[in-house]
Amino acid sequence: MEQLNHLLFTWINATPASPKALLALAMFLANDMILIVPALIIGLWLWGHHQHINLQRVLVSKTVIALVAAMTTSKILSLFFPHARPFVEGFGYTFLHHAPDNSFPSDHGTAIFTFAIAFLCWHRLWSGAVLFVVALGIAWSRIYVGVHWPLDMLGGFLVGLLACLFSQLVWSVFGKKISAITDKAYRMSFALPIRKGWVKG
């Protein structure tokens, strides 16, 4: 597996001769595109048509549960299965400054694949498909700029898959209670913006 990991990395990783435009795109995807996760979570919770807002908040709640489970699992796996990043091993080329911490599984990969799978399962096929393309772009970019191995991204995808399954199980048992608690907390915390009509109640 390690030989395959190295081979795939060599195929994907940029070099000093790589096109500057492609490197710029990769840097944007690797650094900034992950912000789509909090942006959509906040947007879907606060705004939407009154007929859809409750469904949106269920989606957000289930997605947040999945993300918490995924990121917790990712941290545990990184402790028990430490793996050095490519630049720590002196392998390939690196174009993005990063701390020399464990690489497996990728936090970015875990978060964005969890998010994409959540939308595939609980929203609409088209939105999940779009987010999955974004996830693949982020996964490619993190390898391209030299801070992750391909198997780090595969690990993130598998963790995200299991986290969404876990979230669905949690929701099937505690969903009504979670909805009631989050709704009450939201209405108390955002009483003024709701009253002003800035956000949905």
Side-chain angles (χ1 to χ4, degrees):
M1 288 296 284
E2 199 63 18
Q3 285 183 330
L4 176 62
N5 209 19
H6 281 70
L7 179 61
L8 291 174
F9 178 86
T10 302
W11 286 347
I12 299 169
N13 183 220
T15 71
S18 296
K20 284 184 169 38
L22 195 57
L23 269 172
L25 173 63
M27 293 292 283
F28 169 73
L29 290 172
N31 269 327
D32 304 318
M33 201 61 192
I34 196 68
L35 293 175
I36 195 173
V37 173
L40 279 177
I41 285 175
I42 293 168
L44 286 169
W45 185 275
L46 295 179
W47 299 286
H49 194 278
H50 68 275
Q51 291 181 329
H52 302 144
I53 196 70
N54 288 335
L55 290 176
Q56 288 178 197
R57 287 175 180 168
V58 169
L59 167 65
V60 168
S61 297
K62 292 166 78 172
T63 301
V64 168
I65 292 169
L67 283 169
V68 170
M71 300 313 293
T72 302
T73 303
S74 176
K75 292 301 181 187
I76 293 170
L77 286 173
S78 71
L79 292 174
F80 284 95
F81 303 98
H83 196 291
R85 293 180 184 273
F87 61 85
V88 175
E89 294 187 6
F91 200 85
Y93 299 92
T94 308
F95 298 89
L96 178 66
H97 177 73
H98 200 290
D101 52 358
N102 292 326
S103 71
F104 180 85
S106 164
D107 286 343
H108 278 71
T110 299
I112 194 61
F113 278 121
T114 302
F115 201 62
I117 294 166
F119 273 69
L120 274 172
C121 294
W122 303 319
H123 193 240
R124 295 183 178 90
L125 185 61
W126 69 264
S127 64
V130 169
L131 285 170
F132 209 85
V133 170
V134 172
L136 290 174
I138 291 175
W140 163 80
S141 71
R142 304 287 290 182
I143 302 166
Y144 191 75
V145 299
V147 295
H148 273 292
W149 302 100
L151 291 186
D152 297 341
M153 298 303 167
L154 177 60
F157 168 75
L158 294 175
V159 169
L161 197 62
L162 291 174
C164 285
L165 176 60
F166 170 78
S167 178
Q168 184 59 47
L169 292 172
V170 169
W171 195 261
S172 65
V173 178
F174 302 108
K176 289 183 179 179
K177 289 183 180 179
I178 294 171
S179 286
I181 293 169
T182 54
D183 186 65
K184 183 177 180 181
Y186 167 66
R187 291 180 185 279
M188 288 176 61
S189 303
F190 284 75
L192 178 60
I194 292 171
R195 192 164 60 249
K196 294 286 188 179
W198 299 336
V199 297
K200 286 289 183 180

